[in-house]
Amino acid sequence: MTNRVSAIAAILVSALAMTGSPVRADKKITLGFSQIGAESEWRTANTKSIKEAADTAGINLKFSDAQQKQENQIKAIRSFIAQKVDVIAFSPVVETGWEPVLREAKAAKIPVILTDRAVNVKDDTLWVSFMGSDFVEEGRRAANWLVDKTKDNAGPINIVELQGTVGSAPAIDRKKGFEEIIKDKAKFKIIRSQTGDFTRAKGKEVMEAFLKAEGKKINVLFAHNDDMAIGAIQAIEEAGMKPGKDILIVSIDGVKGAFQAMMAGKLNVSVECSPLLGPQLMSAVKDLMAGKALPKRIVTQEGVFPQETAAKEFPNRKY
Ligand code: AHR
């Protein structure tokens, strides 16, 4: 065999090993995607991005909404395996508990791509690639903005924290990144921290409880996403206080609703987390089916939008 022929053979062999079926250029690729749910404006934009990108790429998408339950995601993945899809992608609601179903996918030779959130499994050959944000960095960015904003304030600065879904990668990592920056600065104190499950309704409910317990002692709200911040803004207004002024509000995502709240002076900053992962996912799926190796980690590039930049940036926002 010449070198060229053996190289082509090697690519085909690796594509075969990953997909379990011969690679045919004319075959329409089938992708099974298990989405977490529709808990936030971010998630709705993410779903739209994935559906539109599949359509544009000519990929046959089997889409399943797990309504924020891990057991529904596991069922969906099992059903994709039974249907012998070419590739499985999913955004895991929580980090742990995925080994058995991922082993089943591997045994069926169906490659798995993680989007948006990571899994915590010992064997990282159970998934091919993980594309999405660096959530620890997002937490750091949120805290760095706060440190800079309050640099002339001697403190104490009392923070309440609305965490995302318990056990989810963004809740764990954003908390970690935020705490990493403030831990050696004595003037900052997290006085309450509870989950609001990434939803507006729970964000409002938990903020009401924080206000009841701590009242005017609260100086800052750190919300792990914009939806919870928007729910909390309502609670703060109903308690007769001014969000964005009496209480500084720092959140994450950069959805249009957050920009509107910033333009109204009620939210101080939103750290960007892009949900527009569809096109990247479809090109990864095509590369995989063509026998190409994917990078293990693809990190989304993102910015920080303080209130002062909101009006100028708003017309450019895509989600
Ligand atoms: O995993 C990304 C997070 O999930 C977003 O910050 C949040 O809005 C969503 O529900």
Side-chain angles (χ1 to χ4, degrees):
M1 245 189 319
T2 65
N3 281 348
R4 193 153 168 268
V5 174
S6 52
I8 292 168
I11 288 170
L12 287 174
V13 167
S14 81
L16 264 170
M18 281 185 290
T19 63
S21 56
V23 183
R24 271 185 26 212
D26 60 337
K27 185 183 168 258
K28 194 160 180 172
I29 300 167
T30 297
L31 167 69
F33 185 85
S34 166
Q35 180 59 288
I36 291 175
E39 75 281 5
S40 61
E41 209 178 315
W42 190 102
R43 189 65 53 199
T44 307
N46 180 244
T47 292
K48 188 167 174 266
S49 170
I50 285 159
K51 287 185 174 171
E52 286 178 358
D55 208 34
T56 309
I59 288 176
N60 175 28
L61 177 70
K62 292 185 183 289
F63 183 91
S64 174
D65 178 334
Q67 304 188 341
Q68 276 181 283
K69 290 199 175 74
Q70 182 177 32
E71 70 209 63
N72 290 345
Q73 287 202 290
I74 292 173
K75 265 190 220 152
I77 295 170
R78 290 209 165 112
S79 144
F80 296 148
I81 297 170
Q83 292 172 69
K84 298 187 171 32
V85 300
D86 299 302
V87 181
I88 292 172
F90 77 115
S91 178
V93 60
V94 291
E95 281 191 331
T96 56
W98 299 103
E99 274 96 347
V101 75
L102 290 180
R103 265 190 235 114
E104 289 165 37
K106 192 177 177 187
K109 294 193 165 54
I110 301 176
V112 173
I113 299 176
L114 305 172
T115 70
D116 164 36
R117 298 186 184 179
V119 292
N120 185 351
V121 293
K122 281 207 181 85
D123 177 2
D124 71 1
T125 67
L126 294 177
W127 50 276
V128 177
S129 180
F130 166 36
M131 58 182 65
S133 308
D134 180 341
F135 296 135
V136 179
E137 184 54 29
E138 290 173 351
R140 287 190 198 114
R141 286 179 181 156
N144 278 326
W145 178 88
L146 181 63
V147 168
D148 187 56
K149 182 77 179 172
T150 58
K151 61 178 180 296
D152 300 325
N153 180 340
I157 295 174
N158 293 323
I159 304 168
V160 293
E161 180 182 28
L162 281 170
Q163 294 184 39
T165 303
V166 175
S168 70
I172 296 166
D173 292 353
R174 287 171 183 168
K175 183 172 185 51
K176 187 173 162 206
F178 189 86
E179 286 177 352
E180 182 190 306
I181 300 297
I182 62 161
K183 72 172 185 300
D184 56 354
K185 296 171 182 62
K187 71 175 181 181
F188 295 107
K189 191 158 180 247
I190 299 181
I191 55 171
R192 299 260 160 179
S193 181
Q194 206 178 305
T195 181
D197 211 11
F198 283 129
T199 69
R200 281 185 197 202
K202 291 227 178 96
K204 178 168 188 273
E205 192 185 304
V206 177
M207 190 68 203
E208 282 166 355
F210 287 166
L211 286 163
K212 222 177 196 173
E214 306 290 350
K216 294 208 159 56
K217 267 171 68 189
I218 304 171
N219 306 116
V220 175
L221 163 66
F222 169 42
H224 287 193
N225 82 341
D226 289 338
D227 280 76
M228 292 189 294
I230 292 166
I233 285 171
Q234 220 184 315
I236 295 167
E237 286 180 322
E238 284 173 13
M241 294 167 84
K242 288 198 173 62
K245 294 188 179 71
D246 296 331
I247 299 179
L248 288 181
I249 306 180
V250 183
S251 76
I252 298 179
D253 275 357
V255 297
K256 281 187 182 166
F259 275 78
Q260 280 156 345
M262 286 195 278
M263 289 188 290
K266 298 177 180 182
L267 176 71
N268 301 88
V269 65
S270 187
V271 173
E272 189 178 34
C273 175
S274 176
L276 306 178
L277 299 170
Q280 213 171 13
L281 173 61
M282 300 313 148
S283 88
V285 167
K286 284 190 166 178
D287 282 352
L288 202 52
M289 294 306 292
K292 293 185 194 157
L294 296 182
K296 197 73 184 171
R297 178 75 172 105
I298 305 169
V299 184
T300 316
Q301 299 306 310
E302 293 151 340
V304 176
F305 297 103
Q307 196 179 82
E308 306 73 50
T309 65
K312 191 164 176 249
E313 179 59 23
F314 185 64
N316 307 325
R317 300 308 291 167
K318 304 241 171 347
Y319 60 93

